[in-house]
Amino acid sequence: KQEVTQIPAALSVPEGENLVLNCSFTDSAIYNLQWFRQDPGKGLTSLLLIQSSQREQTSGRLNASLDKSSGRSTLYIAASQPGDSATYLCAVSRELGGQGNLIFGKGTKLSVKP
Amino acid sequence: NAGVTQTPKFRILKIGQSMTLQCAQDMNHNYMYWYRQDPGMGLKLIYYSVGAGITDKGEVPNGYNVSRSTTEDFPLRLELAAPSQTSVYFCASSRKNTEAFFGQGTRLTVV
């Protein structure tokens, strides 16, 4: 059974710092991995999608990497800002049977202090 | 751009009542999903659909039903509400193996 773990559960950093969020999964048979952002009381916003054949994706100050064989992904946030404060979720889609299921981690709650 | 629209945003139900959570998407996505999010537990898949007329159970389907008569709509039905169904419900849609788009959620309380 696929399990997704995110470490740390919470992180507090000063503004301007570079940071890394970690995601690990137990079954490497995935179609893709997706990073989401969730603000309190809101829905999920897709940040980056990495297909299983890719190693990384970049969008602005965000860079996500994927090491499928070791079951790991990282989300790198450069020059953090208070507006980056949110919960970050990673999710993997299973390979067999099509994209019928996104398995989520429990998230990392990020707080960026001014 | 509407994207994925969920209604209602909030609802309080009494034990044993029924309701339907509505979900509509305007992106012509074949895949649609219902998740529930409980504090500290992450998101769990309730049901999903890979196209009109096709639905399948996810990880936590008990107490729920779905239908998919059109590509755009994917309603979730609670027949006999129980306190354990107090949660935030999210609908999502995607094309195959592409990014998923989520609605803003429905916060349901069963008392």
Side-chain angles (χ1 to χ4, degrees):
Chain A
K1 177 183 177 184
Q2 178 74 273
E3 293 184 0
V4 179
T5 303
Q6 291 187 247
I7 295 173
L11 180 64
S12 182
V13 300
E15 181 177 3
E17 193 165 293
N18 302 327
L19 60 101
V20 174
L21 306 181
N22 297 292
C23 174
S24 62
F25 47 96
T26 54
D27 187 348
S28 62
I30 64 170
Y31 268 134
N32 56 52
L33 183 144
Q34 197 166 355
W35 282 94
F36 294 89
R37 169 187 173 135
Q38 186 176 27
D39 293 289
K42 303 293 185 182
L44 281 69
T45 301
S46 177
L47 297 173
L48 289 165
L49 172 75
I50 311 177
Q51 298 291 354
S52 61
S53 59
Q54 297 175 321
R55 297 285 293 183
E56 65 177 327
Q57 283 286 334
T58 299
S59 176
R61 294 182 294 109
L62 305 180
N63 177 276
S65 69
L66 174 63
D67 186 340
K68 187 179 166 184
S69 61
S70 68
R72 295 178 184 177
S73 176
T74 61
L75 179 66
Y76 174 82
I77 302 177
S80 59
Q81 303 171 357
D84 294 331
S85 297
T87 297
Y88 290 81
L89 298 160
C90 80
V92 298
S93 70
R94 64 180 185 185
E95 186 171 272
L96 299 177
Q99 188 181 342
N101 196 1
L102 282 174
I103 309 293
F104 281 84
K106 294 181 179 180
T108 294
K109 186 174 182 180
L110 174 65
S111 177
V112 181
K113 305 295 186 183
Chain B
N1 294 336
V4 179
T5 302
Q6 290 184 237
T7 56
K9 288 185 171 55
F10 304 94
R11 183 73 184 267
I12 298 175
L13 276 183
K14 294 184 178 179
I15 294 172
Q17 286 186 321
S18 301
M19 77 164 293
T20 299
L21 282 66
Q22 301 291 345
C23 176
Q25 53 92 9
D26 61 359
M27 297 172 281
N28 201 31
H29 287 167
N30 283 335
Y31 291 75
M32 295 188 75
Y33 320 81
W34 275 106
Y35 291 88
R36 60 177 288 172
Q37 185 178 36
D38 300 305
M41 298 298 293
L43 281 84
K44 303 290 185 183
L45 183 69
I46 305 170
Y47 271 94
Y48 69 98
S49 169
V50 299
I54 306 170
T55 63
D56 207 348
K57 296 178 181 179
E59 188 177 356
V60 289
N62 292 344
Y64 307 94
N65 278 300
V66 293
S67 60
R68 184 93 182 271
S69 57
T70 67
T71 299
E72 294 78 19
D73 300 299
F74 191 41
L76 177 71
R77 178 83 177 163
L78 283 72
E79 289 294 348
L80 293 170
S84 61
Q85 294 177 305
T86 293
S87 188
V88 181
Y89 292 84
F90 288 102
C91 178
S93 73
S94 74
R95 291 194 173 90
K96 186 175 182 179
N97 298 333
T98 63
E99 65 180 321
F101 293 86
F102 281 73
Q104 290 299 297
T106 295
R107 188 174 297 272
L108 176 67
T109 302
V110 181
V111 297

